[in-house]
Amino acid sequence: MQARCARLKTIRLLGDPVDDYEFEADADQDDSSDVEEFYDDDEDGIPCFYDDVVEHILAVYNEYFGGMDDDDIRSGGDPKEFSLISGERRFKSTLHFQIKGSIWSSEPWTIPMAKPLVLHLLLLLICGSALLSSGSVIHPISDAHRSAATELFVPAADGSFGSLEETFEALRAFQILGVDRTGAKFEGTCKTVSEKLSSPTSTTKDLYHALKITGILGCRTESIEFDGITSRLQAAVKDASSLLELYYSLGGLLSVKEQGKDVILSDADGTFQAIKALSQSDGRWRYDKDSTGSSTFAAGIALEALASVVSLAGSDIDQSKIAVVRKDITKLFDRIKRYGDGTLYFDEKNVDPDQYKGPLATSASITSGVTAFAAVSSEKLNIGGEKILGLAKFFLSIGIPGTAKDFFYQINSLASLENNRISIPLVLSLPATVLSLTSKDQLKVEVTTVFGSRAPPLAVSLLKVLTPDSKEVTSFEKKELEYDPENRIHFLDLSPLKIDVGKYSLIFKVSVNDPEGSDIYATGDQIIVTAFFTGFIKVDKAEIAVSDSDATSESVQKLDLSKDSLISLSANHLQKMRLSLQLTTPLGHSFKPHQMVVKLRHESKVEHLFVPETSSRQYKLVLNFLGLVEKFYYLSGRYEIELAVGDAVMENSFLRSIGSIELDLPEAPEKAAKPPAQPVDPLSRFGPKEEISHIFRAPEKRPPQELSLGFMGLTLLPLLAFLIGLLRIGVNFKGFPTSAVPAMFATLFHGGIGAVLLLYVLFWLKLDLFTTLKALGFLGVFLLFVGHRTLSYLASTSVKQKTA
Amino acid sequence: MAKPTNDAQLLIQSLRKAYAATPTNLKIIDLYVVYAVATALIQVGYMAIVGSFPFNSFLSGVLSCVGTAVLAVCLRIQVNKDNKEFKDLPPERAFADFILCNLVLHLVIMNFLG
């Protein structure tokens, strides 16, 4: 679904940074604010336009005060009511939110000083706009809706659409739109539903939805025990403590009655009274006796419940009570809100965030409730047809909703409006809003009910034609459109009207032929539709010339922009180039396009854009190369010239290459700016690079193994020589102690040294340093002890020998 | 000429006789030093042939020989009874130092051997 969020076009700060902000929002860039732009895409109850505002506020406040983040903003019940939670902040602010075409404003607010409190940004509602905002395009429900329904409501394999409520909504939407509801899948639904009906654990809400589904699908009802269900529902009505309970049980009973069974509502008066007791003086309703907050959504539910009571009870209800409810409805409709173009809707204020349902749900609830009540009330409700039309416009202006719930709300409400007893809205729509003067299009208008069905005989007249700045086209007089009964279209020939190309607001008036019809049907007062009249714009007297700076000689070349010929010129930096042309509308007036640009592109892809100026009837661009030398980065060479002329109402907008000009510019001085870097082929810069293959270090050449082993043997030779030399010297072990204990110590000493050496060998072979050091520690201590004993013994013996 | 060789021979013989008079333990130490230096020379010769690729190994091998020779020389100085400087040092103490220093040297050498 196309995004409908209005994204902020500009945010301007008027004055002090913490004070005034002005915002403009225009989502579809059509220079007008439409109803769609206030829509809530992510259904959080806040029009998404506000998310941008809040973000911006946060950013600005953070810049000045720091420390705020997303958690510091919370939306209140009213979507236009935000709370800023912060610590002690001291500032005062006035916020203006302006949407082009309507004005939002806020009251000035101050923060209570030393209390960390919830701060409220209060925004008042849109005031009735003084500016005439062009009407939004409304179309009645069409086949596009039908196909969207089949896409949105996708049944699971067993025929259900999720919960019972969702299944009911899907089937009801299919029923209204005439989508096929037969098939094996829905047999399964019938079965699940009848199981639910017979199960004793189902709630009244489940029973309600199940009964409704049975009615819609036409399920076989023999297996369903209606008596049991009826008595359960009747008990629920008696014991009900909340509005929703009453609603579901009464709705269930009504559904049973519609399926042909006899249902008696005992104490209809009491039930009526119970529901009425929950109403508030301002027309809203509470959900149950204990809750303090009232809501408009609940009012819709209550009205539907009251209507069910009246249908079930027949003539038992006191008519004066019904009259009181009629007054309540009138008060309720005082709370209706409006957009500038006559669209009306209901919304909630001062409701808990989790109770908040959004304008679509609230308006849908009220619409169902009021139309249901109007159907059972003998006297007509005192609501103007204009309000009903406004509601119908609101639902239609949503277009095709994106979610299943929204779709159900929209379709259900429009179905109740289609045949309601208050007044049936008729919508005027244009199948085509872009009309071409060249192909002599006719202005075609359709007036139908909201579902596209036939309207009664009526007359459509075009009252006024307004230009975008709200001036009337004086040459136009009120005209009535002719009727084509075959295609059921009202049409008007445009050529005799002599209206030039452009964007216009057409003001229509619809009046039903039958004088009583104005009571039954609501057509609205003035209907405003935006239309584009397009045409072929003649391009005249196109010339390009190169002249000297003192304008003495000129070499003019005529351009024929309809052909593809290219011209070539040459100039140096002392000369000027002039391009001029005239644009004329089909009616002969001079035309000002939205876009006219001349582009000069150098061979090195550096581009420069120029906009011709307009004067009286001509567009002229004069390029004085002397002044442009720096702008062109001193690049001499061939420049391609391209001309682009475009407008929304111009059928022959074009981008054409005119030719080329050889420019001879002086050399760039050293400090001149370099031309900007041109975009590089992204793949070459960001694409995969060449693979690098790592070259490992070639291993060193090792000597042959035999040589190494040989030298190892050679190294051991000196050891042998040492041992032999020792023997030759006459080494002996006489000094080795003979007595037991010293001998033991001596052995241990030598053993210890040997152990340490063995440890070193192990260290070299496989141990790591830490284990070695640990072992060495132990051995070392041992060796010290033993060695000390041994050596001191030896020392004492040698001393004894000396002295002896 | 016979005389210079005679002189050399006489010199060598007198050196031999004098050397024969040194005590046995000093001779043992001298022999040990010669052994260590010979081993070092063989290692240097090997490196000269095959190149010094695992240079750390070469160094560790040579330095272990040289180190132990140096320590033995220190032991000899300390143990020599004719040395007035170390008169009061018991030879066992010197020997214990010798053993300890050797063990430390060889630990480092083993680590560096790689």
Side-chain angles (χ1 to χ4, degrees):
Chain A
M1 297 296 148
Q2 66 259 52
R4 297 188 167 282
C5 267
R7 289 288 165 226
L8 292 176
K9 202 156 95 160
T10 54
I11 296 179
R12 275 177 300 166
L13 302 182
L14 314 170
D16 196 304
V18 297
D19 277 354
D20 300 335
Y21 304 84
E22 194 177 279
F23 303 84
E24 281 186 318
D26 187 7
D28 51 357
Q29 312 288 320
D30 65 347
D31 283 351
S32 73
S33 68
D34 303 327
V35 166
E36 295 98 306
E37 290 167 3
F38 301 97
Y39 199 55
D40 177 11
D41 255 0
D42 52 355
E43 286 190 288
D44 56 354
I46 306 166
C48 47
F49 149 77
Y50 286 100
D51 296 341
D52 278 3
V53 168
V54 165
E55 221 172 55
H56 181 75
I57 295 174
L58 266 181
V60 172
Y61 284 174
N62 265 328
E63 204 173 72
Y64 285 88
F65 297 96
M68 288 210 225
D69 60 7
D70 275 352
D71 293 333
D72 288 340
I73 284 227
R74 187 177 57 188
S75 67
D78 189 329
K80 297 165 224 43
E81 209 170 317
F82 289 88
S83 321
L84 260 179
I85 307 169
S86 70
E88 283 111 351
R89 304 265 186 242
R90 304 166 177 234
F91 48 84
K92 179 178 150 173
S93 207
T94 308
L95 288 151
H96 292 279
F97 295 86
Q98 180 182 27
I99 297 174
K100 241 175 148 186
S102 35
I103 298 173
W104 299 67
S105 71
S106 72
E107 295 171 80
W109 50 283
T110 52
I111 296 164
M113 287 309 186
K115 288 189 262 185
L117 274 191
V118 170
L119 315 163
H120 290 275
L121 293 129
L122 286 174
L123 307 168
L124 296 179
L125 308 172
I126 314 172
C127 319
S129 161
L131 301 167
L132 202 65
S133 53
S134 23
S136 46
V137 179
I138 296 180
H139 291 285
I141 304 289
S142 61
D143 282 332
H145 263 85
R146 274 182 202 89
S147 46
T150 45
E151 277 170 36
L152 269 179
F153 296 110
V154 178
D158 61 350
S160 76
F161 294 84
S163 70
L164 209 55
E165 188 174 349
E166 287 164 8
T167 315
F168 158 64
E169 287 174 3
L171 290 170
R172 175 84 180 121
F174 283 172
Q175 182 189 37
I176 297 171
L177 289 172
V179 173
D180 186 23
R181 289 183 314 284
T182 55
K185 268 195 281 220
F186 299 122
E187 289 287 323
T189 320
C190 274
K191 265 192 61 182
T192 1
V193 157
S194 49
E195 272 166 36
K196 270 275 186 222
L197 282 174
S198 21
S199 136
T201 54
S202 314
T203 61
T204 17
K205 185 170 168 187
D206 286 338
L207 288 175
Y208 168 74
H209 288 304
L211 285 165
K212 283 265 184 212
I213 293 175
T214 323
I216 294 174
L217 282 179
C219 290
R220 287 205 312 271
T221 52
E222 299 89 30
S223 55
I224 303 175
E225 229 223 272
F226 278 110
D227 287 332
I229 297 170
T230 317
S231 45
R232 274 179 69 188
L233 289 172
Q234 279 168 338
V237 169
K238 252 202 270 294
D239 303 330
S241 52
S242 79
L243 185 60
L244 285 170
E245 273 287 308
L246 280 166
Y247 170 73
Y248 287 128
S249 36
L250 287 166
L253 286 170
L254 193 61
S255 191
V256 170
K257 184 168 176 182
E258 280 166 6
Q259 292 186 39
K261 309 290 173 206
D262 223 357
V263 174
I264 304 173
L265 184 65
S266 57
D267 195 16
D269 246 352
T271 322
F272 195 98
Q273 206 51 37
I275 301 175
K276 183 76 182 66
L278 294 171
S279 75
Q280 306 272 76
S281 55
D282 58 0
R284 299 194 289 176
W285 247 264
R286 283 171 296 151
Y287 276 104
D288 53 51
K289 286 193 284 281
D290 303 323
S291 66
T292 46
S294 54
S295 99
T296 322
F297 185 84
I301 294 184
L303 289 171
E304 224 176 312
L306 286 170
S308 317
V309 172
V310 175
S311 334
L312 286 169
S315 50
D316 284 354
I317 304 286
D318 192 358
Q319 285 299 315
S320 62
K321 293 208 179 76
I322 301 186
V324 174
V325 177
R326 277 204 288 271
K327 286 210 195 67
D328 280 338
I329 294 180
T330 321
K331 263 186 274 168
L332 188 64
F333 267 75
D334 284 339
R335 306 178 59 82
I336 205 167
K337 305 193 179 171
R338 56 181 67 238
Y339 286 127
D341 57 357
T343 312
L344 303 171
Y345 67 103
F346 283 97
D347 204 358
E348 301 272 30
K349 219 180 169 173
N350 298 326
V351 159
D352 289 340
D354 42 344
Q355 291 255 359
Y356 178 73
K357 294 228 190 301
L360 177 57
T362 322
S363 310
S365 157
I366 298 280
T367 313
S368 316
V370 167
T371 45
F373 197 82
V376 301
S377 157
S378 46
E379 272 186 41
K380 228 168 128 90
L381 289 178
N382 189 13
I383 312 168
E386 166 229 334
K387 296 218 170 75
I388 299 293
L389 186 64
L391 279 173
K393 271 188 175 170
F394 172 72
F395 291 120
L396 283 176
S397 65
I398 297 171
I400 300 182
T403 66
K405 197 89 176 169
D406 285 350
F407 198 92
F408 168 72
Y409 281 138
Q410 184 200 41
I411 292 290
N412 199 29
S413 320
L414 287 172
S416 21
L417 286 176
E418 170 91 346
N419 286 315
N420 72 83
R421 275 192 56 186
I422 311 171
S423 65
I424 301 180
L426 295 173
V427 288
L428 181 143
S429 58
L430 263 64
T433 48
V434 176
L435 306 160
S436 163
L437 294 178
T438 332
S439 45
K440 298 208 188 308
D441 281 349
Q442 289 177 330
L443 172 65
K444 292 200 181 125
V445 164
E446 262 184 336
V447 180
T448 58
T449 63
V450 293
F451 274 94
S453 333
R454 185 192 277 267
L458 38 77
V460 179
S461 42
L462 178 58
L463 295 178
K464 287 189 251 183
V465 175
L466 300 177
T467 54
D469 42 357
S470 306
K471 289 213 194 62
E472 228 182 284
V473 173
T474 43
S475 60
F476 177 76
E477 282 172 13
K478 170 178 164 175
K479 278 221 165 18
E480 192 169 312
L481 278 74
E482 295 167 42
Y483 183 59
D484 176 10
E486 258 180 58
N487 302 325
R488 286 195 254 138
I489 281 188
H490 300 258
F491 64 91
L492 184 66
D493 269 327
L494 290 177
S495 354
L497 294 178
K498 294 260 175 280
I499 301 181
D500 211 353
V501 295
K503 177 178 163 182
Y504 296 103
S505 301
L506 305 172
I507 305 188
F508 291 96
K509 183 160 167 58
V510 175
S511 44
V512 185
N513 286 350
D514 184 4
E516 286 179 6
S518 54
D519 262 350
I520 311 175
Y521 294 97
T523 55
D525 224 1
Q526 284 189 346
I527 303 160
I528 308 161
V529 180
T530 317
F532 287 87
F533 291 5
T534 64
F536 192 87
I537 303 290
K538 240 183 347 177
V539 181
D540 263 343
K541 300 211 183 81
E543 298 183 327
I544 190 164
V546 172
S547 66
D548 287 331
S549 54
D550 44 0
T552 43
S553 59
E554 256 209 349
S555 62
V556 182
Q557 289 198 32
K558 285 227 183 306
L559 296 171
D560 190 354
L561 290 169
S562 51
K563 297 214 197 74
D564 265 339
S565 55
L566 300 174
I567 52 121
S568 61
L569 302 166
S570 67
N572 61 33
H573 67 285
L574 296 170
Q575 292 177 314
K576 287 195 268 200
M577 185 183 94
R578 174 178 68 86
L579 171 70
S580 59
L581 54 117
Q582 276 186 357
L583 297 169
T584 336
T585 67
L587 265 69
H589 304 128
S590 83
F591 180 69
K592 186 166 183 287
H594 282 160
Q595 180 188 43
M596 179 168 349
V597 174
V598 175
K599 178 159 83 168
L600 259 69
R601 186 174 61 229
H602 187 240
E603 304 156 314
S604 64
K605 306 251 190 294
V606 176
E607 295 177 345
H608 306 278
L609 301 172
F610 303 97
V611 176
E613 293 156 352
T614 171
S615 63
S616 65
R617 294 181 65 91
Q618 238 197 20
Y619 275 91
K620 190 152 87 160
L621 174 70
V622 175
L623 293 180
N624 187 355
F625 292 123
L626 193 60
L628 289 172
V629 164
E630 258 195 56
K631 184 166 191 273
F632 282 16
Y633 304 108
Y634 295 90
L635 290 171
S636 302
R638 200 155 149 260
Y639 281 81
E640 306 271 337
I641 309 175
E642 279 182 4
L643 173 67
V645 177
D647 192 282
V649 301
M650 189 170 154
E651 281 170 15
N652 55 328
S653 307
F654 60 86
L655 167 67
R656 186 162 291 129
S657 180
I658 295 178
S660 61
I661 178 168
E662 280 282 338
L663 269 187
D664 188 13
L665 301 174
E667 287 290 321
E670 279 179 9
K671 295 242 189 72
K674 292 272 172 280
Q678 293 308 307
V680 178
D681 170 30
L683 206 60
S684 69
R685 188 180 281 177
F686 300 113
K689 300 241 186 280
E690 299 175 12
E691 205 170 302
I692 304 170
S693 56
H694 184 82
I695 303 171
F696 287 94
R697 190 177 58 150
E700 295 271 344
K701 265 194 330 190
R702 304 309 304 270
Q705 198 151 359
E706 303 83 18
L707 186 65
S708 307
L709 288 172
F711 260 91
M712 194 171 84
L714 206 59
T715 317
L716 292 173
L717 272 183
L719 182 62
L720 271 176
F722 175 63
L723 289 171
I724 296 171
L726 276 183
L727 286 173
R728 281 195 48 184
I729 295 174
V731 130
N732 56 36
F733 282 102
K734 282 200 212 117
F736 199 83
T738 43
S739 47
V741 170
M744 178 194 74
F745 276 119
T747 345
L748 282 177
F749 179 58
H750 289 286
I753 295 179
V756 172
L757 292 176
L758 185 66
L759 177 68
Y760 287 168
V761 171
L762 277 176
F763 170 46
W764 185 51
L765 286 177
K766 61 174 175 178
L767 292 178
D768 60 60
L769 188 62
F770 299 106
T771 354
T772 317
L773 285 177
K774 240 190 330 190
L776 190 62
F778 293 126
L779 276 177
V781 167
F782 166 71
L783 200 59
L784 264 175
F785 173 66
V786 165
H788 177 74
R789 286 298 295 268
T790 310
L791 289 172
S792 47
Y793 173 75
L794 282 175
S796 65
T797 41
S798 65
V799 162
K800 275 195 211 131
Q801 267 186 349
K802 271 200 205 134
T803 51
Chain B
M1 299 253 300
K3 241 193 157 188
T5 47
N6 251 348
D7 284 337
Q9 273 184 343
L10 277 171
L11 188 62
I12 290 170
Q13 274 185 347
S14 67
L15 276 175
R16 265 204 180 153
K17 274 196 206 135
Y19 188 68
T22 56
T24 322
N25 49 359
L26 294 181
K27 278 202 219 160
I28 297 173
I29 296 175
D30 291 335
L31 190 59
Y32 181 71
V33 172
V34 168
Y35 152 63
V37 172
T39 316
L41 286 174
I42 292 178
Q43 286 180 45
V44 172
Y46 177 68
M47 182 216 86
I49 295 176
V50 300
S52 66
F53 165 52
F55 194 58
N56 56 315
S57 316
F58 163 65
L59 275 182
S60 108
V62 169
L63 289 179
S64 89
C65 298
V66 169
T68 197
V70 165
L71 287 171
V73 167
C74 292
L75 180 65
R76 193 187 195 279
I77 295 172
Q78 288 172 351
V79 160
N80 197 349
K81 292 199 188 61
D82 299 330
N83 198 342
K84 298 287 185 295
E85 215 178 309
F86 288 100
K87 204 162 46 137
D88 297 324
L89 184 69
E92 285 77 16
R93 171 69 199 275
F95 182 66
D97 285 341
F98 171 73
I99 295 291
L100 179 68
C101 294
N102 256 320
L103 291 179
V104 171
L105 172 73
H106 281 91
L107 174 68
V108 174
I109 289 300
M110 285 312 231
N111 194 17
F112 196 50
L113 196 59

